[in-house]
Amino acid sequence: MTYTPEMLENIKQVEATRSQRLHQTFPAMSLEERTKLLNTFHPDYIKESMREIRIGVEKGSRMPNELADVVEGRPHIGADFDLSQPEFETDVLIIGGGGAGASAALMAEEAGAKVTIVTKLRFGDANTMMAQGGIQAADRPNDSPAIHYLDVIGGGHFDNFPDLVEALVKDAPQVIAWLEQLGVMFDKTPDGTMMEEHGGGTSRKRMHSARDYSGAEIMRTLRDEVRNRPNITVIEFCPAVELVADKQGRVCGAVLMNLETERYFFTRAKVVILSTGGGGRLHYQGFPTTNHYGATADGIAMAYRLGAKLAFLDTMQYHPTGAAYPEQILGLLVTEKVRGLGAQPVNIKGEQFVYPLEPRDVEAAAFLRECKERHLGVVTPTGQHAVWLDTPMIDLLHEPGTIEKALPAMVRQYKRFNIDMTKVPILVYPTLHYQNGGIAINADCETNIPGLLVAGEASGGVHGRNRLMGNSLLDVCVFGRRAGLTAGRYYKDAKPGEPTLAHLETWKKQRDEAGISTPLRSPILLPDYSRKG
Amino acid sequence: MANQEELIPIYIMGKRYDVPASLTIMKAMEWAGYTLVRGVGCRGGFCGACATVYRIKDDPKLYFGLACQTVVKPEMYLGQIPFFPAKRASYDITKLEPIAATLFTTYPETLRCLGCGTCTKACPQELNVKGYMAAAMRGDITLVANMSFDCIMCGLCAARCPAEEPQYNIAILARRLYGRYLAPRSPHLAERVEEIQSGKFDAEIQNLKSLDFNALKERYSAREIEA
């Protein structure tokens, strides 16, 4: 057992209250209680953690300091970069090889387009692969897309773009059927009925899962299908560093970088889809993150320089249950499915202090309050705060063996550090998880820039100010598909003119006028974790 | 923290570095000064990019793990296998039948498996790879799908196989055949897709879209939560 003697002693408190807690759940908060808690404890509400962006179309709007630095950064190349010899040409260029990019590629290819996916790491090394809990879709008889709509928009603080929410909830069941046709193995009872659970902020059980490898199962299936399509080319270790438009301002390609040789080259396209994901690896406010290594907000930086409108980038999602112990897995995801199956968060006295399935921002804020204000959290030897998540409850609520069957990835993760989560609770604390906002899109994934489509975590609007569990896997499939369909319509008539990087001249002038001289190269592409000296 | 900790010697591709004993292999490489491009992906045990082979000094055994999930040990000699050129067949899933012959024609080498179990020893997910290959040779697609479900496709099985099997690619073919053709269908799902296509929920959603902030808030607060 990896737990310290103090922790083992404290676990006895948690065990002492377990049988009583099995049939008692802490009441959910009202909207007013939620607001009050968020204002005091949610990281987004810490004023000095954000600043106004000083240049560009969203000048004056706020975002985390670390993101603002990247967005205002210095481009890799200058306006004089040679665009006369494109390395290759394609109908649809997709930047980013996660779930949204793969979904878009399949639909665009089916529409007849020649598609190229370029991706910074390997195809599928993306946050989609890491999503564990599930994917929402209102397909049970007691549920409906309208109920799903209310859950989404309430979870997002009623600020979501209604057209996007409508697209999300109405496409959802069709997306599940599409994934099944591609061969995704959803959890089902023997008669075929989907096994569906609650997620934070849902009013119906509509979380479809594939054990706790839900995202991995979807991603590897989409990836396999993409590789079967002759008209899709995938180029790995090749991120984009700049978008290229023609003189009319229509996007017509990108400058890419071979990450291994560090050579830059231009590629032409009739339409570009950005599916570059989020920015957890910028570690806002120093938080650890659940995100994959390449999550550095590249797409936001590139699109913004070209004049793309943004939405809700002043809200980031802190997942309430990041691993807090042992140190080696600090910040990694403990899926919300753990709470969906019945595990309760409890403090050092073994007491519940929050409804286990509040929307994520509310749940995370309640954990922070329990540790920082009430001092009823555990403190690990490295000084990390934490609360208990009482995992053994799951087998007691369902049947023995449920945890191992429903949460194999979680069990495996803890077993690697000699912790048996089927027998003892685990320690959790909020971790940086998701970019709620992004580049503003409409329901066809169009931006304010012609020829530029965006899908997935890089986009903003559908989740408003807070995303619910299970709506991100859904988002990447729904809007990935929609972006592919839009691109499939658009490419046939697109006749891009002469490519230019004139926007980089304007950008340089704006930086100079605002007195920004920071050397930070943007996009940063990878975080720098190597020890210096 | 890392600075006060005991340092242990590890060998990265043969070169010695002294690193804090509590680090994972991946963090130890970064601590040693590496900026990783290959051999790193999700950093959370799901993507299979950081498949690692290692030996401990004087121990003849080879060990396998994910660099992001394995803590360093003293005198560890490690090398990463970020890419392995295993065979992958191309197919049209809509034209396949979920039968044994599909496995054998798509991957004829399936039947060459020696049953030696080297793959099982190499699996960082501790899957019974030999077992699911035996099921594949019997043409039991459902069993292959279920036994291989937690595969992260890192490729270590294929890298070690003396019969040159692409086990993980055979496994995903089986899973896709199972998911598409053999898994029982959900009756509700097809019904709901049809209802949406016929416009059944359009009026209700239009109504929700037209509500002002306060009315929407009221509707939200009045939701009944399924027990």
Side-chain angles (χ1 to χ4, degrees):
Chain A
M1 180 67 64
T2 309
Y3 284 135
T4 64
E6 293 78 18
M7 289 172 185
L8 290 172
E9 196 54 36
N10 193 205
I11 285 174
K12 289 181 189 160
Q13 293 277 335
V14 176
E15 287 168 343
T17 58
R18 187 176 291 147
S19 59
Q20 180 210 339
R21 282 185 287 106
L22 275 178
H23 305 287
Q24 280 178 8
T25 304
F26 200 87
M29 278 179 237
S30 68
L31 284 173
E32 288 65 35
E33 287 170 315
R34 284 184 187 177
T35 306
K36 201 174 149 219
L37 175 69
L38 289 172
N39 280 331
T40 322
F41 288 99
H42 194 276
D44 279 353
Y45 295 76
I46 298 172
K47 280 212 169 58
E48 51 287 8
S49 74
M50 302 218 185
R51 68 173 174 86
E52 287 182 3
I53 187 96
R54 292 171 286 180
I55 48 177
V57 289
E58 299 281 351
K59 185 174 166 181
S61 68
R62 293 170 67 79
M63 59 179 74
N65 298 326
E66 299 84 350
L67 180 58
D69 291 346
V70 168
V71 168
E72 289 177 350
R74 180 175 60 87
H76 284 235
I77 53 170
D80 58 349
F81 185 85
D82 181 13
L83 302 174
S84 64
Q85 302 288 333
E87 183 109 341
F88 62 86
E89 299 195 26
T90 186
D91 293 332
V92 179
L93 177 69
I94 299 176
I95 302 170
S103 300
L106 294 175
M107 300 317 278
E109 194 255 7
E110 282 170 28
K114 196 175 121 188
V115 179
T116 303
I117 300 177
V118 294
T119 177
K120 180 160 57 185
L121 298 169
R122 301 180 318 165
F123 183 23
D125 294 349
N127 285 346
T128 301
M129 190 66 96
M130 309 180 76
Q132 296 174 31
I135 176 166
Q136 287 199 43
D139 57 3
R140 286 166 67 239
N142 75 342
D143 199 1
S144 83
I147 301 175
H148 191 179
Y149 183 101
L150 262 183
D151 287 349
V152 173
I153 208 151
H157 300 250
F158 306 97
D159 281 337
N160 321 43
F161 296 174
D163 287 348
L164 300 186
V165 182
E166 180 184 12
L168 185 83
V169 300
K170 276 172 67 177
D171 282 9
Q174 196 191 343
V175 155
I176 302 291
W178 177 67
L179 291 171
E180 252 197 319
Q181 283 303 307
L182 289 170
V184 167
M185 289 169 57
F186 287 108
D187 294 333
K188 293 176 173 183
T189 58
D191 72 350
T193 307
M194 295 277 184
M195 292 163 71
E196 300 180 39
E197 295 289 342
H198 269 303
T202 58
S203 63
R204 294 291 184 279
K205 295 184 175 179
R206 71 170 78 86
M207 199 69 56
H208 302 65
S209 57
R211 302 188 196 176
D212 56 353
Y213 286 98
S214 304
E217 167 66 352
I218 289 171
M219 186 72 242
R220 68 195 179 191
T221 303
L222 292 173
R223 178 173 64 190
D224 195 62
E225 183 60 18
V226 165
R227 286 175 174 161
N228 282 341
R229 301 279 178 99
N231 288 323
I232 307 177
T233 305
V234 180
I235 307 176
E236 299 182 321
F237 296 94
C238 205
V241 298
E242 205 66 54
L243 295 171
V244 177
D246 67 14
K247 288 191 172 137
Q248 285 72 49
R250 277 185 313 229
V251 171
C252 63
V255 175
L256 310 176
M257 175 190 182
N258 181 326
L259 202 54
E260 292 171 307
T261 63
E262 300 197 1
R263 178 176 159 262
Y264 296 100
F265 61 94
F266 171 53
T267 182
R268 273 191 87 121
K270 291 176 181 154
V271 49
V272 172
I273 299 174
L274 266 184
S275 48
T276 44
R281 290 282 161 188
L282 299 180
H283 296 291
Y284 307 129
Q285 302 184 43
F287 269 87
T289 183
T290 58
N291 286 189
H292 79 104
Y293 187 46
T296 51
D298 302 1
I300 307 287
M302 288 186 286
Y304 189 69
R305 290 207 275 267
L306 205 52
K309 294 265 201 187
L310 309 174
F312 305 117
L313 276 173
D314 58 339
T315 76
M316 294 296 154
Q317 181 163 85
Y318 296 83
H319 194 293
T321 57
Y325 185 86
E327 165 76 15
Q328 290 89 347
I329 55 170
L330 181 67
L332 292 189
L333 182 64
V334 173
T335 172
E336 192 159 317
K337 195 179 174 191
V338 177
R339 280 174 290 135
L341 287 166
Q344 294 165 346
V346 293
N347 61 24
I348 48 170
K349 293 162 134 182
E351 298 164 342
Q352 295 187 73
F353 55 89
V354 63
Y355 177 66
L357 288 170
E358 295 284 3
R360 283 182 175 165
D361 51 353
V362 178
E363 190 82 10
F367 286 18
L368 294 171
R369 178 178 64 187
E370 200 65 12
C371 294
K372 294 194 164 165
E373 186 187 64
R374 298 175 177 166
H375 304 290
L376 292 175
V378 174
V379 181
T380 73
T382 61
Q384 173 67 44
H385 290 279
V387 298
W388 292 107
L389 184 57
D390 196 11
T391 46
M393 288 179 69
I394 295 171
D395 279 359
L396 299 174
L397 286 166
H398 301 265
E399 56 183 16
T402 302
I403 303 171
E404 279 192 8
K405 210 167 157 205
L407 301 162
M410 287 281 82
V411 171
R412 183 174 283 120
Q413 170 135 300
Y414 279 94
K415 202 178 124 201
R416 282 177 175 135
F417 299 96
N418 295 319
I419 292 171
D420 182 354
M421 66 180 280
T422 68
K423 305 240 161 45
V424 290
I426 57 177
L427 287 167
V428 294
Y429 196 71
T431 177
L432 179 57
H433 189 55
Y434 189 78
Q435 178 178 284
N436 290 311
I439 301 157
I441 57 166
N442 65 18
D444 289 325
C445 299
E446 293 165 316
T447 63
N448 59 315
I449 300 174
L452 181 66
L453 309 175
V454 183
E457 193 174 349
S459 75
V462 64
H463 306 299
R465 308 188 66 82
N466 175 57
R467 175 178 66 81
L468 297 186
M469 173 203 180
N471 278 343
S472 180
L473 283 177
L474 181 58
D475 171 359
V476 300
C477 292
V478 165
F479 291 100
R481 280 163 50 91
R482 282 174 171 253
L485 289 169
T486 303
R489 288 193 298 270
Y490 188 99
Y491 89 93
K492 287 171 189 150
D493 304 319
K495 292 186 183 59
E498 195 188 329
T500 157
L501 286 166
H503 73 281
L504 293 184
E505 286 289 355
T506 318
W507 185 255
K508 186 170 182 302
K509 214 153 92 199
Q510 284 179 316
R511 265 173 59 97
D512 291 346
E513 279 167 13
I516 302 169
S517 57
T518 49
L520 182 71
R521 197 178 69 164
S522 161
I524 67 165
L525 302 179
L526 292 174
D528 186 1
Y529 295 142
S530 66
R531 190 176 58 114
K532 304 292 184 276
Chain B
M1 172 209 85
N3 284 326
Q4 297 129 30
E5 217 183 306
E6 181 207 354
L7 300 184
I8 58 167
I10 64 166
Y11 296 82
I12 300 170
M13 290 179 280
K15 193 187 275 177
R16 175 174 166 151
Y17 297 90
D18 293 295
V19 302
S22 69
L23 299 182
T24 58
I25 293 171
M26 182 169 288
K27 286 182 178 167
M29 289 179 77
E30 289 168 339
W31 199 88
Y34 278 80
T35 299
L36 300 174
V37 174
R38 291 266 177 181
V40 56
C42 76
R43 303 177 75 104
F46 286 91
C47 79
C50 63
T52 302
V53 180
Y54 63 92
R55 259 190 56 242
I56 307 292
K57 194 179 181 210
D58 299 330
D59 178 350
K61 238 175 101 63
L62 279 178
Y63 297 90
F64 305 88
L66 299 175
C68 73
Q69 299 285 302
T70 309
V71 178
V72 290
K73 296 186 182 89
E75 306 285 351
M76 176 186 243
Y77 286 74
L78 54 92
Q80 288 197 289
I81 308 198
F83 175 80
F84 189 80
K87 176 185 158 186
R88 187 193 166 278
S90 209
Y91 45 86
D92 179 346
I93 193 79
T94 64
K95 299 211 167 85
L96 299 182
E97 275 188 89
I99 55 172
T102 300
L103 292 183
F104 306 150
T105 50
T106 315
Y107 288 103
E109 56 274 52
T110 303
L111 295 166
R112 250 183 7 218
C113 172
L114 308 166
C116 68
T118 310
C119 48
T120 300
K121 283 188 203 159
C123 181
Q125 295 285 86
E126 299 179 334
L127 300 184
N128 182 357
V129 186
K130 174 184 148 184
Y132 81 61
M133 284 303 292
M137 283 193 284
R138 296 195 303 273
D140 189 340
I141 290 168
T142 302
L143 192 58
V144 179
N146 283 307
M147 285 182 78
S148 72
F149 189 84
D150 295 2
C151 171
I152 54 173
M153 305 183 76
C154 69
L156 279 171
C157 50
R160 290 289 291 154
C161 180
E164 294 158 344
E165 301 278 356
Q167 294 91 335
Y168 64 101
N169 284 331
I170 297 170
I172 194 173
L173 170 61
R175 289 195 300 273
R176 292 191 62 190
L177 289 171
Y178 176 80
R180 180 183 167 94
Y181 296 106
L182 300 175
R185 285 276 162 268
S186 159
H188 303 319
L189 180 61
E191 274 167 43
R192 182 51 49 83
V193 170
E194 240 169 67
E195 287 173 347
I196 290 171
Q197 279 165 353
S198 72
K200 184 176 170 183
F201 304 100
D202 290 357
E204 204 180 345
I205 290 178
Q206 283 317 310
N207 175 39
L208 287 175
K209 284 173 75 179
S210 71
L211 294 180
D212 68 16
F213 175 71
N214 284 324
L216 204 53
K217 236 172 102 170
E218 216 167 280
R219 285 286 299 272
Y220 180 76
S221 297
R223 290 171 313 152
E224 258 178 54
I225 313 280
E226 179 181 2

